[in-house]
Amino acid sequence: MDTARKGFAGVWLKTVGLALVLALFIFPFIFLLINSFKANTAITSNPLSLPPSLDWTNYRNAFEKMSYTASFMNSLTVTVLGVALISLFAAMTAHYFVRNQTKFNQYTFMMMVAAMIIPFQAIMIPLVKIYGTLNMLDNKWALIYMYLGFGSPLAVFIYHGFVKGVPAELEEAALIDGCTRTQTFFRIVFPVLAPTTATISILNVLWIWNDFLLPSLILVSPHNRTLPLSTFSFYGTYSVDYGPLMAGLVLTILPVMLVYLFAQRYIIQGVMQGSIK
């Protein structure tokens, strides 16, 4: 009887603890959501109060002032192409490193892993200066190229561990059957890495979609701005338009939240496989 009570108490404490952690993480979004329906005076006077009604004026103003459709397409273009290029080139690079164990490849892989410890803030000023000299700023393609460079080391590191688990005999059998090395990679290796690709893709989507610092340094023209940059238009010289700002933030994070909710099982699957390896 005492054992059953202790077990029930343990489960209850664990449930309460998880509920508190959930409340801690979900509170900022709830705070943002309830204030997106309120006027500036109501937000500044009592930000924790519930809105008197669901007034969509802030959302209409935010949609117009942010140029939401154009900004959404800019974010979508940069995110989709950036994630696709990172996943493709990182998988190919990791496969090459694993299957060709030369000293040069080992040193190159170690240098890529070591590059992950360098903070972006340490190189952002020389980076902007160099690309400005080359007239490559205010260009979405330059931004995608930078995301490829900054996102590849971690992706190569993750892929490297998973490629080791792919039997080399599968590739040898495909080569014997007449496949080229390129066909072998895309028909045999890359499909096996699908859970890893899904995990890396979701992590990079969250990073690229929500990134503010790098686009703020590269994209200058209003028509090139991504959604996080567009939310900055609500900040004036001496004041902040809090209501539309809150609505704009909700509109910015909502697409990526939906993607994460639909793809979370792939993330869990990839993490579980990584823990087993």
Side-chain angles (χ1 to χ4, degrees):
M1 190 68 177
D2 292 338
T3 304
R5 289 180 178 177
K6 290 181 180 180
F8 177 77
V11 172
W12 185 83
L13 289 175
K14 184 182 295 185
T15 304
V16 172
L18 291 175
L20 291 175
V21 172
L22 175 63
L24 181 64
F25 277 93
I26 204 174
F27 174 75
F29 180 74
I30 299 299
F31 175 82
L32 185 68
L33 187 62
I34 63 176
N35 283 286
S36 66
F37 294 100
K38 295 157 60 175
N40 284 349
T41 54
I43 295 174
T44 54
S45 61
N46 190 1
L48 297 178
S49 64
L50 294 176
S53 62
L54 296 181
D55 187 2
W56 298 92
T57 304
N58 288 336
Y59 284 90
R60 287 193 293 267
N61 294 337
F63 193 91
E64 295 175 0
K65 193 168 184 179
M66 292 172 61
S67 299
Y68 186 81
T69 303
S71 300
F72 177 84
M73 293 306 300
N74 290 336
S75 289
L76 186 64
T77 301
V78 172
T79 302
V80 171
L81 293 179
V83 170
L85 291 175
I86 290 173
S87 300
L88 177 61
F89 284 104
M92 296 175 69
T93 304
H95 177 262
Y96 179 77
F97 285 160
V98 172
R99 297 295 184 240
N100 298 274
Q101 294 287 342
T102 63
K103 288 290 185 181
F104 177 78
N105 288 343
Q106 292 176 4
Y107 289 139
T108 305
F109 175 69
M110 292 174 61
M111 289 177 63
M112 293 189 70
V113 173
M116 292 190 295
I117 68 175
I118 301 176
F120 172 72
Q121 290 79 2
I123 61 174
M124 64 180 185
I125 295 177
L127 185 72
V128 173
K129 184 176 181 180
I130 292 172
Y131 277 82
T133 304
L134 297 175
N135 294 322
M136 294 182 64
L137 297 180
D138 201 20
N139 189 330
K140 291 192 289 291
W141 296 105
L143 181 62
I144 294 171
Y145 177 72
M146 291 184 186
Y147 279 130
L148 174 62
F150 289 116
S152 293
L154 177 61
V156 170
F157 176 73
I158 296 175
Y159 272 122
H160 191 273
F162 281 88
V163 172
K164 289 181 179 179
V166 179
E169 290 78 8
L170 292 176
E171 300 178 47
E172 294 172 358
L175 292 173
I176 293 174
D177 289 339
C179 289
T180 63
R181 293 192 178 275
T182 303
Q183 292 173 334
T184 301
F185 174 79
F186 284 105
R187 294 184 180 183
I188 304 298
V189 179
F190 202 55
V192 176
L193 299 175
T196 311
T197 303
T199 302
I200 292 174
S201 298
I202 296 301
L203 294 176
N204 285 322
V205 164
L206 297 174
W207 164 48
I208 296 176
W209 185 276
N210 295 320
D211 188 28
F212 179 87
L213 181 57
L214 185 56
S216 68
L217 298 173
I218 305 301
L219 304 178
V220 180
S221 302
H223 66 274
N224 281 332
R225 290 176 181 172
T226 57
L227 283 176
L229 291 183
S230 299
T231 58
F232 200 72
S233 60
F234 299 108
Y235 287 88
T237 305
Y238 302 105
S239 62
V240 180
D241 204 358
Y242 288 108
L245 173 61
M246 299 291 183
L249 291 174
V250 172
L251 292 174
T252 299
I253 65 178
L254 188 60
V256 75
M257 284 185 62
L258 294 176
V259 171
Y260 181 81
L261 290 175
F262 283 108
Q264 61 179 333
R265 66 187 184 94
Y266 297 105
I267 300 177
I268 296 173
Q269 183 180 358
V271 172
M272 291 299 294
Q273 287 192 2
S275 64
I276 293 174
K277 291 180 181 299

Short mmCIF file of all heavy atoms in Angstrom, two decimals, residues 95-123:
data_model
loop_
_atom_site.label_atom_id
_atom_site.label_comp_id
_atom_site.label_asym_id
_atom_site.label_seq_id
_atom_site.Cartn_x
_atom_site.Cartn_y
_atom_site.Cartn_z
N HIS A 95 28.81 12.19 -46.49
CA HIS A 95 28.99 10.89 -47.16
C HIS A 95 30.38 10.76 -47.74
O HIS A 95 31.03 9.71 -47.64
CB HIS A 95 27.93 10.73 -48.24
CG HIS A 95 28.06 9.47 -49.03
ND1 HIS A 95 28.69 9.41 -50.26
CD2 HIS A 95 27.65 8.19 -48.75
CE1 HIS A 95 28.65 8.17 -50.71
NE2 HIS A 95 28.04 7.42 -49.82
N TYR A 96 30.88 11.83 -48.33
CA TYR A 96 32.23 11.79 -48.90
C TYR A 96 33.28 11.62 -47.81
O TYR A 96 34.24 10.85 -47.97
CB TYR A 96 32.49 13.07 -49.68
CG TYR A 96 33.86 13.15 -50.29
CD1 TYR A 96 34.17 12.43 -51.45
CD2 TYR A 96 34.87 13.92 -49.70
CE1 TYR A 96 35.44 12.49 -52.00
CE2 TYR A 96 36.13 13.99 -50.25
CZ TYR A 96 36.42 13.27 -51.40
OH TYR A 96 37.68 13.31 -51.94
N PHE A 97 33.12 12.31 -46.69
CA PHE A 97 34.08 12.19 -45.59
C PHE A 97 34.10 10.77 -45.02
O PHE A 97 35.17 10.25 -44.68
CB PHE A 97 33.75 13.19 -44.49
CG PHE A 97 34.11 14.60 -44.82
CD1 PHE A 97 33.53 15.66 -44.13
CD2 PHE A 97 35.05 14.90 -45.80
CE1 PHE A 97 33.86 16.98 -44.42
CE2 PHE A 97 35.38 16.21 -46.11
CZ PHE A 97 34.79 17.25 -45.42
N VAL A 98 32.93 10.17 -44.87
CA VAL A 98 32.84 8.83 -44.27
C VAL A 98 33.43 7.78 -45.21
O VAL A 98 34.15 6.87 -44.77
CB VAL A 98 31.39 8.50 -43.91
CG1 VAL A 98 31.26 7.04 -43.47
CG2 VAL A 98 30.90 9.42 -42.80
N ARG A 99 33.13 7.88 -46.49
CA ARG A 99 33.56 6.85 -47.43
C ARG A 99 34.99 7.05 -47.93
O ARG A 99 35.55 6.16 -48.57
CB ARG A 99 32.61 6.81 -48.62
CG ARG A 99 31.18 6.41 -48.25
CD ARG A 99 31.11 4.99 -47.73
NE ARG A 99 29.72 4.60 -47.46
CZ ARG A 99 29.26 4.24 -46.29
NH1 ARG A 99 30.08 4.20 -45.26
NH2 ARG A 99 27.99 3.89 -46.14
N ASN A 100 35.58 8.20 -47.66
CA ASN A 100 36.96 8.47 -48.09
C ASN A 100 37.75 8.95 -46.87
O ASN A 100 37.86 10.16 -46.62
CB ASN A 100 36.99 9.53 -49.19
CG ASN A 100 36.27 9.09 -50.45
OD1 ASN A 100 36.83 8.44 -51.32
ND2 ASN A 100 34.99 9.44 -50.54
N GLN A 101 38.28 8.01 -46.12
CA GLN A 101 38.95 8.31 -44.86
C GLN A 101 40.42 8.65 -45.11
O GLN A 101 41.33 7.90 -44.77
CB GLN A 101 38.85 7.09 -43.92
CG GLN A 101 37.45 6.77 -43.46
CD GLN A 101 36.93 7.77 -42.44
OE1 GLN A 101 37.70 8.51 -41.83
NE2 GLN A 101 35.62 7.80 -42.26
N THR A 102 40.65 9.82 -45.72
CA THR A 102 42.02 10.31 -45.91
C THR A 102 42.35 11.32 -44.82
O THR A 102 41.47 11.86 -44.15
CB THR A 102 42.16 10.96 -47.30
OG1 THR A 102 41.30 12.11 -47.37
CG2 THR A 102 41.76 9.98 -48.41
N LYS A 103 43.63 11.58 -44.67
CA LYS A 103 44.06 12.56 -43.67
C LYS A 103 43.48 13.94 -43.98
O LYS A 103 43.06 14.67 -43.08
CB LYS A 103 45.59 12.63 -43.64
CG LYS A 103 46.26 11.42 -43.02
CD LYS A 103 45.99 11.37 -41.51
CE LYS A 103 46.76 10.22 -40.86
NZ LYS A 103 46.49 10.14 -39.40
N PHE A 104 43.48 14.30 -45.26
CA PHE A 104 42.96 15.61 -45.65
C PHE A 104 41.48 15.74 -45.28
O PHE A 104 41.05 16.77 -44.74
CB PHE A 104 43.15 15.82 -47.15
CG PHE A 104 42.58 17.11 -47.66
CD1 PHE A 104 43.25 18.31 -47.45
CD2 PHE A 104 41.36 17.14 -48.33
CE1 PHE A 104 42.72 19.51 -47.91
CE2 PHE A 104 40.82 18.32 -48.78
CZ PHE A 104 41.50 19.52 -48.57
N ASN A 105 40.72 14.69 -45.55
CA ASN A 105 39.29 14.72 -45.22
C ASN A 105 39.06 14.77 -43.72
O ASN A 105 38.14 15.45 -43.25
CB ASN A 105 38.58 13.51 -45.82
CG ASN A 105 38.46 13.60 -47.33
OD1 ASN A 105 38.61 14.67 -47.91
ND2 ASN A 105 38.19 12.47 -47.97
N GLN A 106 39.88 14.05 -42.97
CA GLN A 106 39.74 14.07 -41.51
C GLN A 106 40.03 15.46 -40.95
O GLN A 106 39.29 15.96 -40.08
CB GLN A 106 40.68 13.04 -40.90
CG GLN A 106 40.29 11.60 -41.20
CD GLN A 106 41.29 10.61 -40.64
OE1 GLN A 106 42.24 10.98 -39.97
NE2 GLN A 106 41.07 9.32 -40.92
N TYR A 107 41.08 16.11 -41.44
CA TYR A 107 41.40 17.46 -40.99
C TYR A 107 40.32 18.46 -41.41
O TYR A 107 39.95 19.36 -40.65
CB TYR A 107 42.76 17.90 -41.54
CG TYR A 107 43.94 17.18 -40.92
CD1 TYR A 107 45.02 16.76 -41.69
CD2 TYR A 107 43.96 16.92 -39.55
CE1 TYR A 107 46.10 16.09 -41.12
CE2 TYR A 107 45.04 16.25 -38.97
CZ TYR A 107 46.10 15.84 -39.76
OH TYR A 107 47.15 15.17 -39.19
N THR A 108 39.80 18.28 -42.63
CA THR A 108 38.74 19.18 -43.10
C THR A 108 37.49 19.03 -42.25
O THR A 108 36.84 20.03 -41.89
CB THR A 108 38.41 18.88 -44.57
OG1 THR A 108 39.60 18.97 -45.36
CG2 THR A 108 37.39 19.87 -45.10
N PHE A 109 37.14 17.79 -41.90
CA PHE A 109 35.97 17.56 -41.06
C PHE A 109 36.17 18.17 -39.68
O PHE A 109 35.25 18.79 -39.12
CB PHE A 109 35.72 16.06 -40.95
CG PHE A 109 34.60 15.71 -40.01
CD1 PHE A 109 33.28 16.02 -40.31
CD2 PHE A 109 34.86 15.07 -38.80
CE1 PHE A 109 32.24 15.70 -39.45
CE2 PHE A 109 33.84 14.75 -37.93
CZ PHE A 109 32.53 15.06 -38.26
N MET A 110 37.38 18.02 -39.13
CA MET A 110 37.67 18.61 -37.82
C MET A 110 37.59 20.14 -37.87
O MET A 110 37.10 20.77 -36.94
CB MET A 110 39.06 18.16 -37.35
CG MET A 110 39.15 16.68 -37.02
SD MET A 110 40.84 16.14 -36.64
CE MET A 110 41.19 17.15 -35.21
N MET A 111 38.02 20.73 -38.96
CA MET A 111 37.95 22.19 -39.10
C MET A 111 36.49 22.65 -39.19
O MET A 111 36.12 23.68 -38.63
CB MET A 111 38.73 22.63 -40.34
CG MET A 111 40.23 22.50 -40.21
SD MET A 111 41.12 22.95 -41.73
CE MET A 111 40.66 24.68 -41.87
N MET A 112 35.66 21.87 -39.89
CA MET A 112 34.24 22.23 -39.99
C MET A 112 33.57 22.13 -38.62
O MET A 112 32.74 22.98 -38.26
CB MET A 112 33.53 21.31 -40.99
CG MET A 112 33.97 21.50 -42.42
SD MET A 112 32.93 20.60 -43.60
CE MET A 112 31.42 21.56 -43.49
N VAL A 113 33.91 21.11 -37.86
CA VAL A 113 33.34 20.97 -36.52
C VAL A 113 33.82 22.11 -35.62
O VAL A 113 33.04 22.68 -34.84
CB VAL A 113 33.70 19.59 -35.92
CG1 VAL A 113 33.26 19.50 -34.48
CG2 VAL A 113 33.08 18.48 -36.75
N ALA A 114 35.10 22.45 -35.73
CA ALA A 114 35.65 23.54 -34.91
C ALA A 114 35.01 24.88 -35.27
O ALA A 114 34.93 25.78 -34.43
CB ALA A 114 37.16 23.61 -35.08
N ALA A 115 34.56 25.02 -36.51
CA ALA A 115 33.95 26.29 -36.94
C ALA A 115 32.65 26.58 -36.20
O ALA A 115 32.22 27.73 -36.14
CB ALA A 115 33.69 26.27 -38.45
N MET A 116 32.04 25.55 -35.62
CA MET A 116 30.77 25.75 -34.92
C MET A 116 30.93 26.56 -33.64
O MET A 116 29.97 27.14 -33.14
CB MET A 116 30.12 24.39 -34.59
CG MET A 116 29.64 23.62 -35.80
SD MET A 116 28.65 22.18 -35.37
CE MET A 116 29.86 21.17 -34.52
N ILE A 117 32.14 26.61 -33.09
CA ILE A 117 32.34 27.32 -31.83
C ILE A 117 32.59 28.81 -32.04
O ILE A 117 32.65 29.57 -31.08
CB ILE A 117 33.51 26.72 -31.03
CG1 ILE A 117 34.84 26.96 -31.74
CG2 ILE A 117 33.28 25.24 -30.79
CD1 ILE A 117 36.05 26.51 -30.97
N ILE A 118 32.75 29.25 -33.31
CA ILE A 118 33.01 30.66 -33.58
C ILE A 118 31.68 31.41 -33.59
O ILE A 118 30.80 31.11 -34.39
CB ILE A 118 33.71 30.83 -34.95
CG1 ILE A 118 35.03 30.07 -34.96
CG2 ILE A 118 33.94 32.31 -35.24
CD1 ILE A 118 35.74 30.10 -36.30
N PRO A 119 31.48 32.38 -32.70
CA PRO A 119 30.22 33.12 -32.69
C PRO A 119 30.10 34.03 -33.90
O PRO A 119 31.10 34.61 -34.36
CB PRO A 119 30.29 33.92 -31.38
CG PRO A 119 31.75 34.06 -31.10
CD PRO A 119 32.40 32.82 -31.64
N PHE A 120 28.88 34.15 -34.40
CA PHE A 120 28.66 35.00 -35.59
C PHE A 120 29.01 36.45 -35.31
O PHE A 120 29.51 37.16 -36.20
CB PHE A 120 27.20 34.88 -36.03
CG PHE A 120 26.83 35.85 -37.12
CD1 PHE A 120 27.30 35.67 -38.41
CD2 PHE A 120 26.03 36.95 -36.84
CE1 PHE A 120 26.96 36.56 -39.42
CE2 PHE A 120 25.69 37.84 -37.84
CZ PHE A 120 26.16 37.65 -39.13
N GLN A 121 28.77 36.92 -34.09
CA GLN A 121 29.06 38.31 -33.75
C GLN A 121 30.53 38.66 -33.92
O GLN A 121 30.88 39.83 -34.08
CB GLN A 121 28.61 38.60 -32.32
CG GLN A 121 27.12 38.62 -32.12
CD GLN A 121 26.52 37.23 -32.02
OE1 GLN A 121 27.24 36.24 -32.06
NE2 GLN A 121 25.21 37.15 -31.86
N ALA A 122 31.40 37.64 -33.86
CA ALA A 122 32.83 37.90 -33.96
C ALA A 122 33.26 38.18 -35.40
O ALA A 122 34.32 38.77 -35.63
CB ALA A 122 33.62 36.72 -33.41
N ILE A 123 32.47 37.76 -36.37
CA ILE A 123 32.87 37.92 -37.77
C ILE A 123 31.88 38.74 -38.58
O ILE A 123 32.09 38.92 -39.78
CB ILE A 123 33.05 36.54 -38.44
CG1 ILE A 123 31.72 35.77 -38.42
CG2 ILE A 123 34.15 35.74 -37.77
CD1 ILE A 123 31.78 34.46 -39.19
#
